[in-house]
Amino acid sequence: QVHLEESGGGSVQAGGSLRISCKVSGFSDSNYCMGWFRQSPGHKRERVVAIDSGDRATYADSVKGRFTSSRDNYKHTLYLEMNSLKPEDTAVYYCAAVKSLAGFCTMGMSRGRLEDFDYWGQGTQVTVSS
């Protein structure tokens, strides 16, 4: 059974940094595409980044240059380093995963199509104050 668990959320002032993690269990190898998504009240869940098993990532324009995602396939852990945080980054952040050929992310996955991801974590709150 696949399980994803996020950790590391919290509160930070604008301009600050935060790193969140997602521990994955239940996959027998690293052949899965992963993503970070976020959702704030009254808004749809949106992609932050999709990342394949080779650490090739596709970022949303709103976070490019500020956020960096990486994977440790040995530890089955996904990370999201968030710098220069803005109040509009406030949201619940979710990690997601889907089994894929050779761990690649399809175009739909890279674009953050929610239905392309099979497994989701419970989310971690990130709050950025001005």
Side-chain angles (χ1 to χ4, degrees):
Q1 184 175 356
V2 175
H3 182 71
L4 282 67
E5 185 167 358
E6 301 93 340
S7 62
S11 297
V12 64
Q13 288 195 326
S17 298
L18 205 60
R19 188 176 84 156
I20 57 178
S21 303
C22 175
K23 177 70 174 177
V24 183
S25 60
F27 283 115
S28 59
D29 53 37
S30 61
N31 292 330
Y32 47 92
C33 171
M34 294 202 72
W36 283 106
F37 293 77
R38 64 186 182 186
Q39 187 169 19
S40 55
H43 291 83
K44 294 181 179 179
R45 191 170 298 190
E46 63 176 8
R47 177 206 58 164
V48 175
V49 59
I51 182 168
D52 68 17
S53 60
D55 255 7
R56 286 172 290 267
T58 306
Y59 295 91
D61 288 343
S62 58
V63 305
K64 276 181 184 176
R66 300 188 299 121
F67 290 12
T68 303
S69 187
S70 61
R71 287 172 62 157
D72 185 330
N73 290 322
Y74 292 103
K75 293 183 179 179
H76 293 280
T77 303
L78 177 69
Y79 303 98
L80 183 66
E81 184 76 36
M82 301 180 287
N83 298 311
S84 302
L85 281 160
K86 304 175 182 179
E88 51 264 43
D89 294 319
T90 295
V92 177
Y93 282 71
Y94 299 89
C95 67
V98 57
K99 189 74 173 169
S100 66
L101 184 65
F104 287 118
C105 297
T106 65
M107 186 175 293
M109 297 169 193
S110 295
R111 290 177 176 175
R113 195 162 59 189
L114 300 183
E115 57 266 35
D116 285 0
F117 288 85
D118 291 332
Y119 306 101
W120 293 84
Q122 82 288 348
T124 186
Q125 177 71 45
V126 171
T127 302
V128 184
S129 57
S130 56

